[in-house]
Structures are given as structure tokens and as C-alpha cells.
Amino acid sequence: MTSPEQPTVPLSGEIRMPLLGFGTWQATGEAGYGAVLAALDAGYRHIDTATMYGNEREVGRAVKESGLRREDVFITTKLPPERVGRERETIEASLAALDTDYVDLWLVHWPPATPVECIPVWREMLAARDQNLARAVGVSNYSIGQIDELIQATEEIPAVNQIRWSPSLYDRQVHAAHRDRGVWVEGYSPLKTTDLSDPVLVRVAQAHGVSPAQVVLRWHIDHEIVVIPKSVNPDRIRANADVFGFSLTAEEMRDIDALGR
């Protein structure tokens, strides 16, 4: 099971999403398989992939060979923009590659190029959820306005919006707008978009005896923002998972928040 010290957020019903996930973008082939296996061994219980990444087969194989029960690993995949109109075919292909009967979360990877397609795509996502192919559905790279259009048309709220997020991109209003609607923010590229030598991060890291990267990940978690760092380096994978032995003070959170706009 997800260990008690690993916090989760509720999506719907009994579905809980670990706040720490493992990103797999650019982790392909045997390196990708090895990275996911190392991540699961390090304690991650949430793996993020996508049709576009071309590594669903490796992710599925790593989950199978990890020795963990399927229900103890939260798996996300995503529908690419060029598959609009072929949603059912795409999720079935993802499930076959992942060698699983369902994914825990299926996201629209990017808003469709033609706005008129947004609602039909969302209805197909909901249909896949209702047919138990995905336990929850959401979006990625959507604006608040685009999310509102989906909600107004279907009265169904995306469980998650996966967007670029980090201290330097922190926007209190954007975060609050998602929370007001019942949408969890999931941040990608948390370290890529961060200056890890920033004096604030260095000071906070020294106070806790951890690295600035670990501070950034803990900052997401303490904000209840899902975060998915990625790496194929086993040492870094383990270090990024080792963020549950400390938490940030309210003052430290405010100081890190202030790095954003």
C-alpha cells in the first residue's frame, strides 16, 4: 500500500493520488524500464506516462516486474492531440501496452487545436471513465477558461490539470482558481524551471539538511500540488523520493512562494 508518510489527494470515491509521482518523459527503451523499476524500488507509487512518450510498454513491464500489486501503483497516461476523434482506440492501445485493465488517471495531453473539439473529446474521456477503462480523467496544459468550458458543458469537473509548475512559476491566483473548482494542480518540470542555486532555496535546504531539489519537491507537497520529477539516474531517483522526513515551516513556504510572479 501507499505508505502512510506518503500523502495523497482524493480524486473521487476511494481513488487517492499520491502527491509524489515519477515522470517518464524522454525515458524510453531499456533506460526507461530501468528508471521506472528503480523508482518503484525507491518507494514511488505513482508513475506518469503518455502515449506521446512512447514508453508505455516499458512502464507496464516495470510495474509487472516490481513485485507490487497493480492496485498499489497509480498509473497516469495521456491522449495526444493528434488522436482527437480516436479516443477509445487510443486508451485501448495504452491499456494493451501497459498490460493492465485500467489506468488510474487519463488526461487530455494538450487542448485540441480546434476549440470546437474540446467538448467532444472531454465527453469521450468521461465515457472511458464510465466504462472503467480509467478510474479518473482530467486535462493537461489547460487554462482556467478552458476548464470552465468543460464544466459548463458537461457538469463534470476534471480531476486534475497537469501544468508546468515550480517556485518561479508560482501563481497564488491560478492555484486558488483550480482549488475553487475542485481541480488538483499537478506540476511537471518542477526542477527544470527552478534555479536550484537560489539563496532562498539554499538557505531552507541547509536548515533541514537536504538539497534544494528536495526543498522544491517538498514545497509542492506541502501546497498539496502533485509533483512528478523525472530522472534516469538511480541516485537522483532515490534522492527525489526522500522528501518525507521533513516539512517546511509557514515562513519558509512564504519565502519560496515569493520566488514566483
Side-chain angles (χ1 to χ4, degrees):
M1 293 294 292
T2 301
S3 54
E5 64 270 19
Q6 268 202 47
T8 60
V9 292
L11 299 189
S12 62
E14 297 179 355
I15 306 167
R16 300 198 68 90
M17 182 180 193
L19 276 163
L20 177 68
F22 183 70
T24 66
W25 180 54
Q26 295 180 322
T28 56
E30 285 301 304
Y33 160 75
V36 175
L37 206 54
L40 293 169
D41 185 61
Y44 290 88
R45 293 297 179 264
H46 167 189
I47 307 295
D48 180 270
T49 183
T51 296
M52 189 182 288
Y53 299 168
N55 61 9
E56 289 172 316
R57 198 165 302 282
E58 287 77 15
V59 168
R61 181 158 65 99
V63 171
K64 284 276 187 185
E65 295 181 9
S66 68
L68 295 166
R69 297 185 306 169
R70 169 66 187 89
E71 58 266 33
D72 293 336
V73 182
F74 188 102
I75 300 176
T76 300
T77 194
K78 311 181 194 78
L79 172 84
E82 68 272 14
R83 296 293 185 93
V84 166
R86 292 189 288 156
E87 294 84 2
R88 178 63 183 249
E89 173 191 336
T90 302
I91 187 63
E92 288 180 349
S94 288
L95 297 178
L98 289 162
D99 194 14
T100 184
D101 294 332
Y102 67 94
V103 289
D104 298 278
L105 180 64
W106 193 32
L107 304 178
V108 185
H109 206 151
W110 291 89
T114 309
V116 73
E117 294 175 320
C118 287
I119 305 304
V121 169
W122 182 233
R123 291 191 191 280
E124 289 296 325
M125 303 292 286
L126 296 170
R129 180 202 63 189
D130 293 344
Q131 292 157 8
N132 299 316
L133 303 178
R135 298 178 76 210
V137 290
V139 295
S140 182
N141 300 299
Y142 273 55
S143 68
I144 291 296
Q146 289 168 323
I147 289 172
D148 283 343
E149 289 175 9
L150 302 184
I151 297 170
Q152 287 162 9
T154 64
E155 297 185 347
E156 292 270 12
I157 300 167
V160 167
N161 186 20
Q162 188 181 116
I163 54 179
R164 287 205 333 159
W165 200 262
S166 69
S168 65
L169 300 175
Y170 179 67
D171 187 320
R172 186 185 307 277
Q173 290 183 321
V174 169
H175 188 204
H178 282 85
R179 294 299 294 270
D180 289 346
R181 288 158 178 79
V183 180
W184 293 104
V185 173
E186 180 175 10
Y188 69 82
S189 298
L191 304 177
K192 185 179 181 181
T193 55
T194 298
D195 176 7
L196 295 175
S197 65
D198 186 281
V200 171
L201 297 177
V202 171
R203 170 173 55 80
V204 174
Q206 289 174 341
H208 292 279
V210 298
S211 71
Q214 289 169 315
V215 167
V216 170
L217 300 179
R218 186 71 216 194
W219 171 83
H220 283 75
I221 290 165
D222 286 350
H223 265 311
E224 288 195 314
I225 293 169
V226 181
V227 63
I228 47 171
K230 69 183 189 69
S231 177
V232 294
N233 178 301
D235 290 339
R236 201 164 298 131
I237 288 169
R238 282 191 293 272
N240 288 345
D242 187 17
V243 292
F244 300 110
F246 71 103
S247 60
L248 304 178
T249 67
E251 183 181 6
E252 289 168 341
M253 291 291 286
R254 285 194 296 271
D255 289 348
I256 298 170
D257 289 353
L259 299 176
R261 50 181 181 267

